Amino acid sequence: MTFDGSFTHAMVHQLTPQLTGGRVTKISEPYPNEVMLIIRANHTNYQVLLSANPNFARLQLTNQSFTNPPVPSNFTMTLRKHLQGSFLKEMHQVENDRVVHFHFTTRNEIGDETQLVLVIEIMARHSNIILVEAHNRNIIDAVKRIGADKNRYRTLLPGVKYLNPPQQDRINPFTMTNLELIHKLVHNFPAVNVLAEQLQTNFQGLSYETALSLAETIHNPNLEVNTAVTNFFANFDNPKPVIIKTSSDRLDYAAFPSPDHQVVTSYDTLSSLLDNFYQKQAERERVRELGSSLFQVTRTELKKNRRKLKKLKKTREQAQTANDDRICGELLMTYLNKVPAGATSVRLPNFYDENQLLTINLQPDRSANGNAQHYFKQYQKKKNSLQYVTTQIENTKTEIDYFENLTSQLELATPTDLVDIKTELTNAGYLHSKQKHSRARAKISQPEKFMAPDGTLILVGKNNFQNDQLTLKTADKRDYWLHAQQIHGSHVIIKSANPSPETLKAAATLAAYFSKARASANVPVDFTQVKHVKKPRGGKPGFVHYTDQKTIFVTPTPAAVTALRS
């Protein structure tokens, strides 16, 4: 079941008694197109998430924590100006559409009471959040401004009259009183799939999944059609939220279970359902959006350095022939009198190879001595370049290793981790910042905390800044340090000088999971005390050397990691 009109109906019905009469105490936009309202009602602070994200548009309460951007957006400032301190008078859904109006009572600059409406339209890529004046329907602002060049039906710009989304000539199933149409559809379309399509065509706010569930309920031989339909829509007023597994083994969610649903998990509220269902998906989407420039930089640098390494290796192969040039020069100097003038080549006995004849190419316009000097110069040039190229190859391999490590960190990053990675790339000169340079050191985010079965604290660095801070500054020298063996991954610290075998295994599982080997079945993880971990002079962020290590083999699983979260 998608967030269709019927699910919107259930959400509004559940939130209305909780939020009505509440006061807006805080407004933020933690991520683009997602507004967070803190509404205090019934002696409780509710986090109301209004998301116009094209992939995860929704309305819900949330218990998740969000980090606000250092500079609020213009839309956030507009909402704060007009809605901060206002009271939620009512909220209602437009028909059975995916449009919800929040009616707020506030006071304007001169102290007069005024009414404002915050509209959320949950319509995939057309989703939007719009602030409207109630008395004249003038738009104050929208999180996505839509001009006439993008939408001929309506514009969503400040000062323009707000128009509802285009209405479709369909029946609102929650207000219908005559079920004759449904009886007719059941008679004309006995197949469940076809009946679902017809229900979706004739009734408002039904996604195909909801219509299919309704069609299967209607075809229940133990229920009369009127009773089946009435009970089905009554369930949206008393939801029993569930995550279900579809016939294609895909996870989905529903406001209530149906006989055809394979229930995976049940929840007390629709909001807790959405928090759990969208947590990882929305987080990855935010990482993709916020970290697009970081992904681009790492991909570009990796491609550039891999291409550079290929050229350097070719140059090294050529430079490794330097000794051949030296031998040719020495043979020419030894047998000067045997080299005919103007010759293009000569065969001379090679005293380095049991006097086997060696063919030496010559430049006919040069004397024998001139050709010998040319070979000596080539020898010296290649010898010097070999030393330089060898150094460059090692440096390039270090760069490739560094960006491969960053790539793996980005794949596991949360939106908060991206700030550290962006700062790291900016400080290293790989990413140019539009902001003026600040002498204040960037605040490093905190490592993730886990708890071993015996209560021992385990810390996991999720990026290079966190890894360096955790290993080199935060950890006690007697603590234990872990890292997946010979592969990119997080630094893991056990806050104990004498961890139990169970704690070591738990920490090793975390080290394996937060590495590129997270999908492997048997991962070797090295562990040693922090005092044996050193950072080489001039080493890249997150890069260390360690000694006196031992190795433990573990199999990382998401369930094991979830069980260790503190």
Side-chain angles (χ1 to χ4, degrees):
M1 182 182 292
T2 57
F3 207 115
D4 59 5
S6 299
F7 196 93
T8 305
H9 173 95
M11 181 63 77
V12 171
H13 187 268
Q14 193 168 86
L15 296 186
T16 296
Q18 293 179 276
L19 300 179
T20 302
R23 181 175 181 268
V24 179
T25 61
K26 189 175 180 180
I27 302 171
S28 60
E29 189 179 346
Y31 302 107
N33 305 322
E34 294 192 343
V35 172
M36 183 76 74
L37 303 179
I38 307 297
I39 297 181
R40 183 163 182 79
N42 303 315
H43 307 290
T44 305
N45 289 328
Y46 294 102
Q47 287 190 129
V48 184
L49 175 63
L50 309 179
S51 176
N53 183 293
N55 296 314
F56 310 110
R58 64 196 188 279
L59 156 67
Q60 66 166 108
L61 301 183
T62 180
N63 291 321
Q64 296 180 18
S65 58
F66 296 88
T67 302
N68 294 326
V71 180
S73 67
N74 291 334
F75 184 65
T76 302
M77 296 301 293
T78 300
L79 291 181
R80 289 176 180 175
K81 176 183 176 182
H82 291 87
L83 294 183
Q84 193 86 31
S86 64
F87 290 88
L88 180 61
K89 182 180 179 182
E90 65 171 307
M91 56 184 295
H92 75 272
Q93 178 186 14
V94 178
E95 291 293 325
N96 195 39
D97 207 349
R98 293 165 293 170
V99 179
V100 180
H101 289 192
F102 291 79
H103 292 260
F104 292 96
T105 300
T106 186
R107 294 190 179 277
N108 58 22
E109 291 87 347
I110 60 176
D112 293 336
E113 187 175 278
T114 184
Q115 307 290 326
L116 298 175
V117 181
L118 187 63
V119 181
I120 177 169
E121 300 175 350
I122 305 169
M123 299 177 177
R125 64 188 181 91
H126 299 295
S127 299
N128 213 331
I129 304 170
I130 308 114
L131 183 62
V132 180
E133 294 179 289
H135 70 284
N136 57 15
R137 296 180 67 85
N138 282 345
I139 295 174
I140 298 175
D141 205 353
V143 74
K144 299 177 187 176
R145 295 184 177 184
I146 309 297
D149 57 327
K150 295 181 179 179
N151 192 320
R152 294 183 181 181
Y153 174 77
R154 62 173 186 162
T155 56
L156 299 174
L157 297 172
V160 176
K161 294 287 183 182
Y162 172 75
L163 296 176
N164 287 322
Q167 294 294 315
Q168 296 176 330
D169 188 19
R170 298 179 183 179
I171 300 170
N172 183 347
F174 290 96
T175 59
M176 65 179 177
T177 56
N178 189 346
L179 300 182
E180 182 179 346
L181 176 59
I182 291 183
H183 283 277
K184 184 178 179 180
L185 293 176
V186 172
H187 180 267
N188 293 336
F189 305 100
V192 172
N193 291 345
V194 180
L195 176 59
E197 293 174 356
Q198 292 300 315
L199 289 170
Q200 188 180 13
T201 301
N202 287 275
F203 292 91
Q204 184 185 31
L206 302 184
S207 63
Y208 179 74
E209 291 82 1
T210 305
L212 183 62
S213 184
L214 174 58
E216 289 172 339
T217 302
I218 290 173
H219 276 277
N220 185 341
N222 298 322
L223 288 176
E224 191 268 332
V225 173
N226 287 17
T227 303
V229 173
T230 302
N231 291 347
F232 182 83
F233 287 106
N235 285 330
F236 285 99
D237 290 333
N238 297 283
K240 297 178 181 178
V242 290
I243 288 180
I244 60 174
K245 184 176 287 187
T246 65
S247 57
S248 59
D249 281 342
R250 182 176 61 88
L251 291 181
D252 203 349
Y253 62 87
F256 53 88
S258 293
D260 58 301
H261 287 163
Q262 181 182 346
V263 176
V264 176
T265 315
S266 300
Y267 295 91
D268 294 331
T269 65
L270 297 171
S271 294
S272 59
L273 163 73
L274 296 180
D275 257 356
N276 283 274
F277 185 82
Y278 281 122
Q279 182 178 9
K280 290 185 178 180
Q281 298 180 57
E283 190 171 86
R284 292 310 307 162
E285 177 68 15
R286 289 167 185 148
V287 168
R288 188 189 67 80
E289 290 177 352
L290 299 176
S292 58
S293 61
L294 306 183
F295 278 106
Q296 181 62 38
V297 167
T298 55
R299 282 194 295 264
T300 300
E301 291 294 330
L302 272 174
K303 185 177 180 181
K304 180 182 74 175
N305 281 286
R306 284 168 177 163
R307 187 169 57 244
K308 179 180 178 182
L309 181 61
K310 188 176 180 180
K311 291 181 179 178
L312 287 171
K313 286 182 176 179
K314 186 176 181 180
T315 302
R316 183 176 63 181
E317 289 176 2
Q318 295 173 347
Q320 286 172 339
T321 63
N323 204 45
D324 295 339
D325 291 329
R326 179 182 61 81
I327 292 173
C328 289
E330 290 181 358
L331 293 180
L332 288 172
M333 291 299 294
T334 302
Y335 301 106
L336 284 175
N337 59 338
K338 294 185 178 181
V339 179
T344 57
S345 65
V346 65
R347 288 171 63 82
L348 298 174
N350 183 2
F351 43 74
Y352 288 107
D353 187 21
E354 298 179 351
N355 287 324
Q356 295 289 325
L357 291 178
L358 175 66
T359 300
I360 301 175
N361 293 323
L362 302 173
Q363 295 186 17
D365 57 337
R366 292 183 178 180
S367 64
N369 183 64
N371 275 290
Q373 296 306 315
H374 172 71
Y375 274 108
F376 286 134
K377 287 180 180 178
Q378 289 298 310
Y379 161 71
Q380 196 62 45
K381 182 178 179 181
K382 289 180 179 180
K383 181 181 177 182
N384 293 339
S385 71
L386 182 60
Q387 183 177 359
Y388 172 79
V389 168
T390 302
T391 302
Q392 286 298 305
I393 286 175
E394 292 305 312
N395 292 341
T396 305
K397 285 181 177 179
T398 300
E399 288 288 293
I400 291 173
D401 186 69
Y402 172 67
F403 283 103
E404 285 179 344
N405 186 31
L406 276 183
T407 300
S408 65
Q409 289 177 6
L410 286 170
E411 291 171 354
L412 297 170
T414 63
T416 304
D417 297 328
L418 293 178
V419 178
D420 292 340
I421 296 175
K422 183 176 181 179
T423 302
E424 179 183 338
L425 289 172
T426 302
N427 291 346
Y430 297 110
L431 191 66
H432 298 291
S433 175
K434 295 181 181 179
Q435 298 180 353
K436 293 183 179 179
H437 177 71
S438 174
R439 293 190 179 184
R441 294 187 62 182
K443 185 177 179 181
I444 300 174
S445 60
Q446 295 300 310
E448 193 164 355
K449 296 180 180 180
F450 295 86
M451 198 68 68
D454 62 1
T456 304
L457 179 63
I458 303 174
L459 302 176
V460 178
K462 301 289 287 299
N463 55 64
N464 289 329
F465 274 8
Q466 287 185 13
N467 287 337
D468 279 351
Q469 181 79 15
L470 180 59
T471 301
L472 305 174
K473 297 182 180 180
T474 304
D476 188 284
K477 296 298 182 183
R478 295 165 295 179
D479 292 341
Y480 271 78
W481 178 92
L482 299 92
H483 194 284
Q485 188 181 87
Q486 296 181 350
I487 198 168
H488 302 302
S490 296
H491 293 198
V492 176
I493 295 292
I494 301 175
K495 296 297 293 179
S496 172
N498 187 28
S500 65
E502 292 78 12
T503 298
L504 274 172
K505 183 177 180 181
T509 300
L510 293 171
Y513 184 81
F514 291 101
S515 75
K516 292 203 73 173
R518 67 187 308 178
S520 302
N522 199 24
V523 182
V525 176
D526 290 337
F527 65 93
T528 187
Q529 284 189 295
V530 172
K531 63 184 178 182
H532 299 304
V533 182
K534 308 294 180 183
K535 189 173 187 67
R537 185 184 297 273
K540 291 279 190 181
F543 183 71
V544 294
H545 287 151
Y546 58 92
T547 56
D548 294 349
Q549 72 272 19
K550 296 181 181 179
T551 304
I552 183 173
F553 290 82
V554 294
T555 300
T557 63
V561 174
T562 301
L564 294 171
R565 293 189 187 277
S566 59

